[in-house]
Amino acid sequence: MKYETIVGLEIHVELATVTKMFCRCPVPTLQDKPNTRTCPVCLGLPGALPFPNKRAIESCIQIGLALNCSINTQSFFERKNYFYPDLAKGFQTSQYLHPFGENGFLEIEVNGVKKRIGITRVHMEEDTGKLTHSTVDGDEVSLIDFNRSGVPLVEIVTEPDIRSGEEARIFLMELQKIIRYLNVSDADMEKGHMRLEPNISLRPIGQTALPQYKVEVKNINSFKFVEKAIGFEEKRHFEMLEKNEVPIQETRGWNEFKNKTISQRSKEEAHDYRYFPEPDIPPITFKDEEIAILKNAIPELPIQRSLRFTREFSLANASSQILTRDKNLADFFEETVKIGKDHGISPKDIANEIINKKTDIYSVLPASVIKTIKESKNVSLIDSGTLRELISQVLEENRQAANDYKAGKENAIMFLVGQTMKKIGKKVDMNEVRSAILEALK
Amino acid sequence: MTDIATLTISKMLDGYKTREFSVTEIVKAYIDRIHKFDKNIHAFITLNDEGAIKRAGELDNTDVTSSLHGIPYGAKDMFLTKGIKTTAASKVLENYIPQYSSTAIDRLNEAGGIILGKLNHDAWAHGSSGENSDFGNTQNPWNKDYVPGGSSSGSAAAVAASFVPMATGTDTGGSIRLPASFTNTVGLKPTYGLVSRYGVISMASSLDSIGHFTKTVEDSARILEITQGADGYDATVNTREPQIYTDTLKRGIKGVKIGIPKEFISSGMSEDVRTIFNESLKTLEKLGAVLEEVSLPHTEYGIATYYIIQPSEVSSNLARYDGVRFGHDRSFFGKEAKRRIMLGTYTLSSGYYDAYYKKAMQVRTLVKNDFSKAFEKVDILVSPVSPTPPWKFGEKANDPLAMYLSDALTVTVNLAGVPGLSVPAGFTNNSLPIGIQFIGPHFSENRLFQAGSAFEEETKMFEKNPML
């Protein structure tokens, strides 16, 4: 039996706002000691109330716009009720019925073929605290650090449109690029700014209905591991399905040392979160003009920019993609192109220079790049009249060399070129000088 | 020395200005009175004698410029007070000392107010009589066998007994207006979204209103001018310009159109309540008001709607009291708290949400519309506060539903978010207080104060004091 892989992704992005989602605490750094970036609100103390962070919501909407979602201009927060020690209030303030962004897509290219991955929803929520399991004075304990509690999170859920680990990796790289371009998060997986969970199942080719089961995989902290985890699950599910066994609907954890997934807990029933509209936060409404302003503030996104580079600067696709991988790099490139125009240096030359030399854009100025290219190209010009004058002088002063050349000594020409270059004083096109000397010796 | 039982905030401020007495003298007098009589009333859970006297001394060294200079007050134990034990009248928080104060407390203190202690109430504000406190009942100062009303039982009793001239309270389904009407005090439930709820333990977030008890309507207006307004911490507070109420207080009510909701009258009212209410109507007419009957057709659904929405929000708001970071664990919750948590979890659960919570929220809109329509015809409404006078301890304690029904005339005000002012109106044949309430459109507190002030000037109920 032939199967195809069905993968949907759930991604959480930590926003790089100044303060947390519902309080004035600064967003923590990894250097902060535990429980030093807290207040009554993010600690869920009695009497504390949430006060929404406008910039966070705007960032969420911009992510939705960049992913071609329709934006709910009338939206609200909801309480997701469940108990866990890292959840201070006993509920998470999140969104359920009316996420800020819905029904979008992201186009990716896999082996030269373009494909759209559907985006089901983009919504706003708050992060929980962090649990660490440890031993203190011989006792096994769980330590809770609430620094992370209340940090703004944007949750992005895709349609189950992804068909392989490779597609997932490509999708995630594209998504990460976009988020970085929007400047709303560093989206650094190692630092936990971007967390992801694939939901994986297999279905027989030809079947259109979604499979009855799906397996969620947690604890993946790199794109490479997403690809590996999906690959592992594909094999595992295949073996079971071939034996007429249906894989259990469950959550599994990726073990990067053993390169396999391990069963964690059953996900047989959906938890009843008893969602209801958050009464402490009035509904959020945006005017169409406000959404338009947010949309205009979105910079040219990576895909569009790459296509434009190819078109406008006659670059190879591969070069454009490399240059647009990072927004700062793309900006640097375009700065350099502007300067290069005045000096007759082509965008292609600049692209090659930057890519091959792996220019450090944070320590080198665009003008220096132009200078380096010019020096290697010897593009100082000299007018023909001045050149002939100087060559006559050189031939006068070096009759022996001139006669040697006329007598058949080919090397003599290089000596004459050298002498001429000395007289000229600046770097010019050697070939041009050589031709002019040969002309004069005729 | 003046009999402090006759003092109001206004009189006290005058006395400070003319140096008739000092803040220290007044504070000490109130503290002495509390120590002498509260053992029979049990209004207080925690006292702040030392802190209060210290603060009084500080204020005596400053000029009388702040709006609440040297005025002692009590805070319902739902209000967080930094450094002072705050229990929500529940064993769960019996040793909890908060690290911050609520906005209302901060503002009262900044204005010169001096907190004398934390006041008893139904645990977690769940109740209509005070009998659900984990720390014992508060007595009605007018007759110790009778309930003072709830949930703000201690706050009402403290003001009635002249332990403080003002006490803070919360009103989610009548918890200020009911005890005020049972104790011959003035109780204000402001418009939802006028006073910040930050730092007050949440009962039902969309219904909780932060208010207070005083002896007179003028005092009530003074306090609202201090506590009202946005604070940047409560996202549900309206950002409108703060109003002054004290300057238009004595306008009188000539020509004011007052509506009488007919559905409030027909519901099983006791004779005492009916008699006093009718007399009150005559007084209002005498003062020049124009009375007319109005209809609030969805009144009969008020209790059912309230007792679905409120427990739903309660069940979520109490989730944080797990004993992990502060307080005791859930086994310390009292019976009524457990009852409401279970009810609320059920009404929000999958498969039942639509039939209960969602439906109740839709009916809530109809209730709110009732009030809006009525206020197109009249300026304010007047009604009784409770269908019955105060009842005896134990009479309803074993029948939670009977207890819930005592909220019949107060809950729709909370559902609609409109303001209500309970003012003393008279006494029953066995000398128990009965009040009436004025209800107005959103943010119309000035109208309520004007009506209440005119009424109290005429009836002078504030001159009466209980024998302790």
Side-chain angles (χ1 to χ4, degrees):
Chain A
M1 175 97 88
K2 283 212 157 222
Y3 301 91
E4 60 178 347
T5 310
I6 313 285
V7 175
L9 292 173
E10 193 179 299
I11 302 120
H12 286 92
V13 178
E14 238 180 60
L15 293 180
T17 48
V18 178
T19 55
K20 291 188 179 181
M21 188 66 222
F22 296 116
C23 64
R24 289 165 176 74
C25 287
V27 160
T29 64
L30 290 171
Q31 284 80 22
D32 291 321
K33 289 204 163 68
N35 294 310
T36 52
R37 291 274 178 248
T38 57
C39 76
V41 179
C42 53
L43 283 175
L45 294 186
L49 293 174
F51 204 93
N53 180 327
K54 188 172 182 196
R55 184 67 208 124
I57 294 173
E58 291 176 339
S59 300
C60 176
I61 289 178
Q62 284 184 315
I63 292 176
L65 289 166
L67 294 176
N68 305 293
C69 293
S70 55
I71 303 298
N72 277 317
T73 49
Q74 296 204 50
S75 181
F76 51 88
F77 285 98
E78 299 199 52
R79 291 193 186 180
K80 181 179 183 182
N81 297 282
Y82 68 97
F83 292 103
Y84 207 66
D86 64 6
L87 190 63
K89 297 176 291 193
F91 62 85
Q92 181 192 36
T93 304
S94 178
Q95 293 195 292
Y96 183 55
L97 287 176
H98 297 292
F100 283 115
E102 285 186 293
N103 302 327
F105 62 87
L106 175 56
E107 212 168 71
I108 57 173
E109 202 173 292
V110 188
N111 297 327
V113 180
K114 284 212 205 326
K115 177 174 179 173
R116 269 194 188 183
I117 306 296
I119 304 290
T120 318
R121 51 191 287 137
V122 174
H123 79 240
M124 196 75 244
E125 61 182 36
E126 56 175 345
D127 210 343
T128 62
K130 220 188 294 199
L131 282 177
T132 355
H133 308 292
S134 180
T135 318
V136 174
D137 295 337
D139 288 324
E140 281 184 356
V141 295
S142 294
L143 305 170
I144 319 174
D145 177 10
F146 285 102
N147 281 353
R148 202 184 67 181
S149 170
V151 167
L153 286 184
V154 173
E155 179 173 319
I156 302 164
V157 181
T158 75
E159 293 287 320
D161 292 343
I162 295 171
R163 292 286 169 268
S164 72
E166 188 193 16
E167 265 182 40
R169 185 179 50 77
I170 292 172
F171 171 86
L172 289 165
M173 293 192 69
E174 206 50 52
L175 179 64
Q176 186 186 52
K177 249 192 270 177
I178 290 175
I179 290 169
R180 287 176 173 171
Y181 263 61
L182 291 173
N183 205 28
V184 295
S185 170
D186 292 334
D188 209 326
M189 283 211 68
E190 288 78 50
K191 298 213 179 100
H193 300 150
M194 192 164 158
R195 299 166 224 163
L196 39 99
E197 278 134 35
N199 282 289
I200 307 157
S201 36
L202 249 50
R203 86 172 163 208
I205 294 199
Q207 180 182 311
T208 46
L210 280 175
Q212 296 143 306
Y213 78 96
K214 66 181 172 191
V215 176
E216 183 187 41
V217 181
K218 281 180 149 38
N219 199 38
I220 297 173
N221 57 19
S222 79
F223 298 157
K224 189 178 71 187
F225 289 149
V226 175
E227 201 172 349
K228 279 192 170 181
I230 292 174
F232 179 86
E233 283 298 295
E234 276 173 329
K235 257 220 221 72
R236 190 178 73 85
H237 297 197
F238 176 77
E239 280 161 20
M240 289 183 79
L241 289 167
E242 286 291 87
K243 286 190 263 175
N244 271 322
E245 288 167 22
V246 178
I248 304 171
Q249 173 123 332
E250 60 173 343
T251 301
R252 297 174 73 87
W254 171 251
N255 186 317
E256 67 191 71
F257 306 108
K258 297 192 179 153
N259 277 324
K260 56 195 277 211
T261 65
I262 301 179
S263 181
Q264 283 190 339
R265 58 172 189 263
S266 292
K267 204 180 152 91
E268 333 91 1
E269 294 171 23
H271 200 295
D272 185 1
Y273 292 113
R274 302 191 300 285
Y275 282 102
F276 70 99
E278 171 61 79
D280 288 325
I281 303 174
I284 315 257
T285 48
F286 279 88
K287 298 198 197 82
D288 289 337
E289 305 93 71
E290 289 171 309
I291 302 292
I293 291 174
L294 288 176
K295 192 164 189 182
N296 288 337
I298 294 177
E300 190 182 21
L301 291 174
I303 296 181
Q304 277 70 40
R305 201 163 190 187
S306 180
L307 292 171
R308 181 170 64 79
F309 277 14
T310 303
R311 206 177 52 237
E312 200 175 307
F313 302 129
S314 307
L315 299 181
N317 277 333
S319 301
S320 299
Q321 274 164 27
I322 294 172
L323 290 168
T324 55
R325 206 169 272 167
D326 179 277
K327 182 168 181 292
N328 293 329
L329 175 59
D331 290 342
F332 182 92
F333 172 73
E334 290 206 68
E335 248 324 288
T336 315
V337 165
K338 251 194 240 148
I339 302 174
K341 248 203 199 124
D342 297 334
H343 295 268
I345 307 283
S346 73
K348 235 200 188 97
D349 285 336
I350 297 170
N352 288 337
E353 171 74 17
I354 292 177
I355 293 172
N356 293 333
K357 294 270 184 69
K358 294 196 185 13
T359 310
D360 178 3
I361 63 175
Y362 297 105
S363 60
V364 175
L365 290 172
S368 312
V369 174
I370 297 298
K371 187 158 177 270
T372 310
I373 298 174
K374 265 165 66 173
E375 277 168 8
S376 67
K377 267 180 172 289
N378 305 330
V379 272
S380 278
L381 296 174
I382 183 164
D383 84 281
S384 31
T386 315
L387 187 57
R388 263 178 305 196
E389 259 264 15
L390 293 173
I391 287 173
S392 322
Q393 280 178 32
V394 166
L395 293 177
E396 265 289 328
E397 291 160 12
N398 297 282
R399 279 179 212 257
Q400 185 63 47
N403 292 333
D404 284 348
Y405 178 77
K406 283 184 186 158
K409 254 198 176 161
E410 292 274 338
N411 299 356
I413 196 76
M414 290 322 293
F415 175 77
L416 291 169
V417 168
Q419 290 301 306
T420 314
M421 296 290 281
K422 246 207 217 131
K423 268 214 198 284
I424 292 172
K426 52 189 179 174
K427 260 197 178 161
V428 291
D429 191 350
M430 270 218 302
N431 291 324
E432 198 185 329
V433 171
R434 192 168 180 277
S435 315
I437 295 176
L438 289 172
E439 193 60 47
L441 286 172
K442 274 203 186 114
Chain B
M1 173 70 183
T2 322
D3 178 7
I4 55 173
T6 63
L7 283 180
T8 60
I9 295 173
S10 305
K11 287 203 187 123
M12 229 174 287
L13 287 170
D14 286 341
Y16 289 147
K17 285 191 188 119
T18 60
R19 296 183 184 273
E20 188 185 331
F21 38 67
S22 68
V23 177
T24 306
E25 282 178 292
I26 291 290
V27 165
K28 281 201 169 135
Y30 275 108
I31 290 176
D32 286 344
R33 189 180 173 92
I34 293 168
H35 283 278
K36 190 167 172 192
F37 294 114
D38 195 38
K39 49 172 121 36
N40 300 324
I41 310 282
H42 308 115
F44 283 92
I45 295 176
T46 307
L47 287 175
N48 180 40
D49 292 354
E50 226 178 278
I53 292 173
K54 179 162 179 267
R55 184 78 183 117
E58 285 167 13
L59 284 166
D60 273 331
N61 287 328
T62 67
D63 292 324
V64 186
T65 46
S66 51
S67 51
L68 213 57
H69 179 101
I71 305 299
Y73 73 97
K76 182 175 186 177
D77 222 7
M78 294 285 276
F79 287 73
L80 262 67
T81 41
K82 183 174 178 178
I84 302 177
K85 194 170 68 176
T86 301
T87 67
S90 167
K91 287 257 159 64
V92 172
L93 293 180
E94 66 181 346
N95 294 315
Y96 180 67
I97 299 185
Q99 294 157 303
Y100 75 106
S101 289
S102 63
T103 297
I105 297 295
D106 274 343
R107 288 183 179 183
L108 290 168
N109 290 343
E110 266 156 41
I114 302 177
I115 187 164
L116 295 192
K118 307 303 293 296
L119 294 163
N120 197 16
H121 55 87
D122 286 296
W124 308 104
H126 300 164
S128 311
S129 68
E131 290 171 285
N132 288 331
S133 170
D134 283 358
F135 300 113
N137 294 335
T138 296
Q139 264 64 44
N140 189 323
W142 295 92
N143 187 324
K144 313 277 164 47
D145 294 332
Y146 288 80
V147 301
S151 63
S152 313
S153 48
S155 301
V159 173
S162 302
F163 291 157
V164 280
M166 187 276 281
T168 68
T170 62
D171 188 314
T172 306
S175 291
I176 289 177
R177 289 164 290 147
L178 186 77
S181 82
F182 279 9
T183 54
N184 197 55
T185 54
V186 174
L188 173 71
K189 176 220 166 286
T191 308
Y192 179 87
L194 181 58
V195 182
S196 169
R197 293 178 291 116
Y198 186 74
V200 182
I201 293 173
S202 286
M203 181 189 162
S205 313
S206 74
L207 296 159
D208 290 345
S209 195
I210 308 305
H212 46 269
F213 295 82
T214 51
K215 289 222 173 156
T216 62
V217 172
E218 179 177 3
D219 281 358
S220 191
R222 283 178 186 275
I223 300 300
L224 187 62
E225 285 176 0
I226 296 168
T227 56
Q228 69 180 351
D231 63 349
Y233 284 88
D234 180 345
T236 60
V237 172
N238 197 288
T239 50
R240 59 180 27 221
E241 274 301 304
Q243 268 191 291
I244 304 291
Y245 308 103
T246 45
D247 55 357
T248 56
L249 202 60
K250 311 284 182 186
R251 185 173 282 179
I253 51 170
K254 250 221 185 90
V256 171
K257 291 201 224 107
I258 307 185
I260 304 156
K262 69 174 195 227
E263 293 83 2
F264 278 41
I265 313 304
S266 41
S267 53
M269 254 164 53
S270 82
E271 270 318 300
D272 279 321
V273 175
R274 193 183 296 275
T275 309
I276 290 174
F277 184 65
N278 288 336
E279 277 167 22
S280 305
L281 294 180
K282 288 205 191 87
T283 306
L284 291 169
E285 269 178 329
K286 182 176 166 205
L287 292 167
V290 177
L291 305 179
E292 83 179 66
E293 189 185 79
V294 297
S295 173
L296 300 173
H298 296 89
T299 300
E300 64 179 291
Y301 304 111
I303 292 284
T305 307
Y306 174 76
Y307 275 100
I308 286 171
I309 296 173
Q310 173 252 101
S312 301
E313 295 179 4
V314 162
S315 71
S316 179
N317 284 329
L318 292 185
R320 68 191 63 190
Y321 301 99
D322 52 15
V324 174
R325 290 159 296 129
F326 53 84
H328 295 303
D329 63 62
R330 294 187 192 98
S331 64
F332 285 72
F333 275 125
K335 281 214 177 100
E336 185 62 32
K338 287 183 182 167
R339 205 172 277 134
R340 297 190 187 202
I341 291 169
M342 286 191 283
L343 225 85
T345 307
Y346 182 81
T347 50
L348 287 176
S349 61
S350 168
Y352 298 99
Y353 176 91
D354 283 352
Y356 290 110
Y357 185 81
K358 187 171 175 190
K359 189 115 200 193
M361 289 298 270
Q362 290 169 325
V363 175
R364 181 175 188 172
T365 304
L366 299 178
V367 167
K368 176 173 170 285
N369 291 345
D370 279 359
F371 283 93
S372 304
K373 284 202 196 89
F375 290 128
E376 282 168 18
K377 296 168 66 190
V378 297
D379 299 312
I380 57 176
L381 307 174
V382 69
S383 83
V385 181
S386 164
T388 68
W391 53 89
K392 274 196 169 153
F393 281 104
E395 229 175 85
K396 301 192 188 185
N398 293 323
D399 189 350
L401 282 186
M403 191 72 86
Y404 294 169
L405 287 170
S406 53
D407 295 340
L409 305 182
T410 49
V411 291
T412 50
V413 165
N414 297 84
L415 290 170
V418 290
L421 179 71
S422 176
V423 292
F427 288 82
T428 64
N429 290 329
N430 57 342
S431 309
L432 293 166
I434 299 237
I436 57 170
Q437 64 176 335
F438 296 104
I439 302 166
H442 297 112
F443 304 109
S444 67
E445 280 81 357
N446 55 338
R447 291 188 206 175
L448 306 185
F449 289 136
Q450 283 158 15
S453 180
F455 187 77
E456 78 177 357
E457 285 300 308
E458 182 65 27
T459 58
K460 302 232 189 285
M461 292 291 156
F462 55 82
E463 286 175 350
K464 295 186 164 51
N465 279 304
M467 281 278 287
L468 296 183

